[in-house]
Amino acid sequence: MKAKKQNNKIPVIMAEVSSLRDLVRLGSTFTPQLSYLYGMKAGKGNILFLKGEKIGDSMTVYFCTVDGIKPYLLYGPHSANKEELLMVNDITKYAEDYKMYKAQVVELLDNPFSEGKKQKVLLLKTADYRPLVKRGVRVGGGERPGKVYSFVYKGKEYIGLFDFFHDENVTTFLYAEAKGCHGKGFFRYNYTTDTLAVADCFSDSQYPCVRIINLAAPFSFFKPE
């Protein structure tokens, strides 16, 4: 029975994000529609997590460590200075606040994951990170902004994204060096001047945004040398 239980687990590649804000930014619908995160005990602590991209036979799972788990998260990215984030037991009094996006936390009592096998990822370095970000603007569309991942590898900052041209056996990851972006929440794109600027909040202005999902460490497959 023990072996059968292990076989039924989901093979995953765990990727830690820099903060709870990054995780909620990744999962938010950016609409009044409720989004969902998952939580569970991990060692002596707790983690919250989200399902990510499929890489070969494994699923990427983005996670962060938290002190405790409550049923709801409130996310307000429209602040003039910084995204607001609250973990609460009840969201009734926030029901009419449409600028505070709501997330339900589903707490699991058992760990459904097993460590996935090493997967094939084709790393393709690009000359400039800006086309990668602008692709996120166009792909994102609608209410929900597109996204790119930001991380530091051997002292250098990088922006990257999983690209669409791959087959069943190899996933493609495009990346480029990008100074001064890591730790920020969004890129804002000015169509008129074709320029990008980093920001700590989601703007209500005419310029579309792309989410920056900051990772605590590079993806385990990211070994360009």
Side-chain angles (χ1 to χ4, degrees), residues 78-178:
H78 296 283
S79 168
N81 299 313
K82 192 86 174 178
E83 300 156 299
E84 297 178 77
L85 188 62
L86 296 171
M87 191 178 286
V88 298
N89 291 314
D90 183 81
I91 58 171
T92 305
K93 67 179 181 178
Y94 300 96
E96 301 301 320
D97 188 347
Y98 296 111
K99 288 193 174 182
M100 289 293 284
Y101 303 131
K102 290 85 174 172
Q104 173 83 63
V105 179
V106 180
E107 187 173 1
L108 305 182
L109 298 180
D110 296 303
N111 184 347
F113 304 132
S114 63
E115 184 177 353
K117 296 179 181 179
K118 186 177 180 181
Q119 302 293 335
K120 294 179 181 179
V121 179
L122 177 61
L123 301 177
L124 294 177
K125 189 174 184 179
T126 64
D128 190 345
Y129 74 90
R130 285 169 292 190
L132 302 183
V133 177
K134 287 188 280 187
R135 181 175 178 271
V137 172
R138 297 183 176 93
V139 170
E143 295 286 339
R144 193 179 194 185
K147 66 177 184 291
V148 292
Y149 297 103
S150 174
F151 52 90
V152 177
Y153 178 76
K154 292 187 176 181
K156 293 182 179 180
E157 295 180 32
Y158 292 92
I159 288 292
L161 56 80
F162 292 93
D163 205 77
F164 62 89
F165 53 88
H166 60 265
D167 59 27
E168 294 180 356
N169 299 314
V170 181
T171 297
T172 303
F173 186 76
L174 301 183
Y175 72 97
E177 291 185 37

Side-chain angles (χ1 to χ4, degrees), residues 2 6-7 26 30 40 46 54 66 68-69 80 86 88-89 120 123 143 167 169 186 190 192 194 197 202 206-207 225:
K2 187 175 180 180
Q6 180 67 28
N7 290 339
L26 175 61
F30 285 80
M40 67 181 180
N46 306 276
K54 189 77 180 292
V66 293
I69 298 175
L86 296 171
V88 298
N89 291 314
K120 294 179 181 179
L123 301 177
E143 295 286 339
D167 59 27
N169 299 314
F186 299 91
N190 186 327
T192 306
D194 191 30
F202 184 75
Q206 60 183 315
Y207 303 125
E225 288 87 15

